[in-house]
Amino acid sequence: MLTNVQLESILDELLFSSSFKDYAPNGLQVEGKREIRRLAGAVTASLDVIKKAQEFNADALLVHHGYFWKGESPLIKGMKKKRLQLLLNQDINLYAYHLPLDCSISFGNNAKLGEVFDFCVKETVSVDGINNLLWFGTWPQSSEPNDLLLHIEKCLDRKPQHIIPPSNKAIKTIAWCSGAAQDYIENAAYLGADAFISGEISERTFYQANENDIHFFSCGHHATERFGIQSLCDYLVNEYQLEYQFFDSKNPV
Ligand SMILES: [Zn+2]
C-alpha cells in the first residue's frame, strides 16, 4: 500500500520529472483517495478508460496523456467535464507523465519501442533542449526497407505508412521518436539516419522524406506509446505489491 502523495514522489524520482519543461503538468493531476492499492494504467485518460478503471475499482490511474495541456481552454465543459466528474465521483487519483515518460532511459516509450523492435541503441539525442528524446540505432537483421516495414507491422500489429524516398536506399541507421514527432524527421536526416520512425504523419512529411532522402514510417501515435506506461506500471506493481490492470484502447491514430 502507498499513499497518493508517496506514489507521486516515487514517480517524479523515477522519471526525473522536475527536469522537464512540458506542455502539461506532470504528476498528480487530479487528487483522489489517500490510499492506493489498485492501479490502472493506460495511454490516455479517456472517458472509456476511466469507466474501465472504475469497474476495476482502481484507486489510481496512471497515463501518458493526461489533461490541462498548454493552450487548451481552461473551462470545465463537455468531454472534460464528463471525465473529471467521473474521476472525482469515484475518488480516483489521476497521474500523468508526458515528456518524462517519452525520454526515460529505464521506462520510456522510446526505450521500450527500441526493445519491441529489437533495435541496437547507439545513442540518444536531445531535441529543443529535451534530453534523450530522439533515439538512434540499427536493426542488424536486414537493411532492406521492405523487411523493416514487415517487421514493424508484426511488432505493433498495425500496418505502418511507409514514405519511400526516390533513392529507396538501404536502411543501415534508424532514428525513432514515438507519438506526434513527425517533424523530427529533419533532425533525423540531419544526423544521418536512413530511416525515421514515429507515430503520426503530416502532409508535409512526404516532402520532408523525399527532399531529405530518408525513409519514413508512420506507425500510429497510440501504437507507439503503449509500452512506456506498461513498463512503469510493471515496476510499481512488483516493487509495491499493487493490484494492476492495463487498459488498452483501439485508437487507430
Ligand atoms: Zn503522445
Side-chain angles (χ1 to χ4, degrees), residues 64-65 221 225:
H64 179 50
H65 299 138
H221 190 138
E225 298 200 322

